[in-house]
Amino acid sequence: MQQILISRCLLGEPVRFDGQAKLLDSPLLMRWQAEQRLVPICPELAGGLPCPRPAAEVEQGRGDRVLEQQGRVLCQDGADVTQAFIAGAQAALEQCQRHQIQLALLKARSPSCGSRSSYDGTFSNQLVDDGIGVTAALLRRHGIKVFDETELEQLALALSD
Ligand code: SF4
């Protein structure tokens, strides 16, 4: 049975930077949970960051450039958390490889998990349309299909068993 890597905050776990969760209330998600398909991870905690933690944004919203050491992940006070974000992305990739996971359901707009857009690094609530989080970028680079919580139907179609 195909398994799905999932952001822990979408399962209602209070792991976000502000100590809150972002429970995704969905019959599809409940079914996948009952089928024991879900493998949870919070890349930022896996990378060693605490909870709660300061909000962070990826420079220019480009997590793919962070992987190429051409961008950083910064907190608003300038603290550089790039290495923790990269470590968290690698932990997520290792989970996928351990469980032979090819599909991921990751929280939208997160500097780690966002896969379709990301904040631009200026802490001014501006999204970059083709932005991507660090973890989502690393998983995509390794051929894993990444969906967010607005794409559950597409994820359901991608499940082949
Ligand atoms: Fe949720 Fe991902 Fe942020 Fe962790 S890093 S709180 S799993 S969006």
Side-chain angles (χ1 to χ4, degrees), residues 7-9 15-17 41-44 53 107 110 112-113:
S7 297
R8 283 175 59 183
C9 56
V15 293
R16 281 164 46 97
F17 72 95
I41 190 164
C42 172
E44 291 171 25
R53 54 193 172 276
K107 176 78 189 72
S110 148
S112 291
C113 293

